[in-house]
Amino acid sequence: MITKVLIANRGEIALRIHRACKEMGIATVAVHSEADREAMHVRLADESVCIGPNASSESYLNIPAIIAACEITGADAVHPGYGFLSENARFADIVEAHDMIFIGPSAAHIKLMGDKIAAKAAVSAAGIPVVPGSKGEVLTLEDAVKSAKKVGFPLLVKAAAGGGGRGMRLAQKAEYLAESYNAAKQEALAAFGDGSVYLERYLGKPRHIEVQVLADTHGNVVHLGERDCSLQRRNQKILEEAPSPALTEEQRTEIGEIVRVAITKIGYRGVGTIEFLWENGEFFFIEMNTRLQVEHPVTEMITDIDLVREQIRVAAGEELGYTQDDVTFSGHSIECRINAEHARTFAPSPGKVCDFHAPGGLNVRLDSALFAGYSIPPYYDSLIGKLIVHGKSRKGALMRLRRALGEIVITGVETTIPLFVDLIDDPEFQEGDYDIHWLERWLEAQAEN
Ligand code: ADP
């Protein structure tokens, strides 16, 4: 039984978790930095604790302060959200060592999937197709040269500890390998304190398609279909949709089943996402995220399953209570990430929100912690909201998205809303005809006009 959850996060995701808790009759504790004293997640939670100054390294990443907040408030579980400590195995271990429930997978699984070399080996052994590449880590440049001959060019040098697109370098040809190898290693060492790198074949025009899984501690695993997250800028997702416009029903069922069987073998618990690149009808695993994703609502909209509620239930040891056959997919959902950034230059735009009006109506969802008069602090991620729509078809979802984008009002700061207003009129986007490089090409073309 979980009776009080401490939410170790901020912004829209803290609110999202709070909502699930309240619907389950669970009390909530918000933690916050000094800058977030007036934030909506603090206002809505049953209790709140200030855990440190503005910098996230001293607040939202401050493990001793968060554990102290748990003890002061008597929380019996911790939900880490996404980002911050959500994929920190040590944090999961510490929470459990304090006799609390970590709402997420075991520390061992977080650690395994956090090392991309180990993760690739583990999922490959469980039957998931991976991107061809070096056999594990390449220890020296000499090693890299040898291995690159087998992998072929172009290739990527990738950091085992990589994340957020860091520690990744493209080598178009053999003569650039040394430069890419050294740069990736150095960046990985600086960013993650771990310079291990490996090689991977570079796919030219893939889509990013990821499969959502959910597992309990009794051996029951379901997949909840896929999300297409190919619309990216600098490897960061901008818009996501489910189902993917590229897959047939057979392809969806086949990859879902491969993933479900593999995750069962691995003995994973909680929610997780298996990320693939998809090219010419083939899936290639790139990584697994062992947490709730920003884009989880599009899956919720087409399955009618509350992923945070399920996370909490399985963390408490409950059985899923349904099987793959009970999971049904209905209609189409699209999510736009609204960032406090200029819609063309992507320059951050923190500051005070003057007017705020949320769109509404049937099957329109806005996950956001904004309110009129709120000051967006400059210290954290620029995501200020997610607009999610659902329609019976992709076309219906697009019509609804256009309508909802027309209703939303956020003044006082720049936002990425105008980007989506333009994007939605693009014929290729309307056809769902895009790969992971499409948005950057589109942005360049727009800038020239
Ligand atoms: P990170 O954890 O840093 O986000 P990922 O491995 O998830 O790194 O890759 C992030 C993005 O980089 C992918 O969504 C894709 O756009 C690109 N990418 C990664 N691996 C490859 C590859 N082998 N070929 C082409 N693009 C890739």
Side-chain angles (χ1 to χ4, degrees), residues 116 156 158 163-165 200-201 203 208 232 235 277 287 436:
K116 290 187 176 184
L156 281 176
K158 291 174 86 168
E200 206 166 83
R201 190 212 291 166
L203 303 173
H208 174 118
Q232 301 181 356
N235 295 330
L277 294 177
E287 68 167 337
I436 60 169

Side-chain angles (χ1 to χ4, degrees), residues 163-220:
R166 282 176 303 171
M168 203 190 306
R169 284 288 187 287
L170 176 65
Q172 283 285 1
K173 293 184 190 153
E175 63 219 73
Y176 304 128
L177 181 61
E179 192 185 323
S180 301
Y181 174 83
N182 290 326
K185 230 177 154 50
Q186 263 169 28
E187 190 172 88
L189 200 61
F192 314 111
D194 175 358
S196 324
V197 294
Y198 61 106
L199 309 185
E200 206 166 83
R201 190 212 291 166
Y202 178 74
L203 303 173
K205 286 184 164 182
R207 295 179 80 111
H208 174 118
I209 299 178
E210 56 186 37
V211 177
Q212 176 72 54
V213 291
L214 168 61
D216 67 16
T217 49
H218 306 273
N220 303 299

Side-chain angles (χ1 to χ4, degrees), residues 218-234:
H218 306 273
N220 303 299
V221 182
V222 294
H223 77 81
L224 301 178
E226 84 285 6
R227 295 182 285 260
D228 197 315
C229 313
S230 303
L231 285 180
Q232 301 181 356
R233 179 180 167 269
R234 300 194 175 160

Side-chain angles (χ1 to χ4, degrees), residues 1-16:
M1 262 283 277
I2 292 176
T3 58
K4 195 187 265 193
V5 170
L6 182 135
I7 303 165
N9 216 299
R10 64 183 299 282
E12 69 86 19
I13 197 61
L15 222 56
R16 166 70 190 90

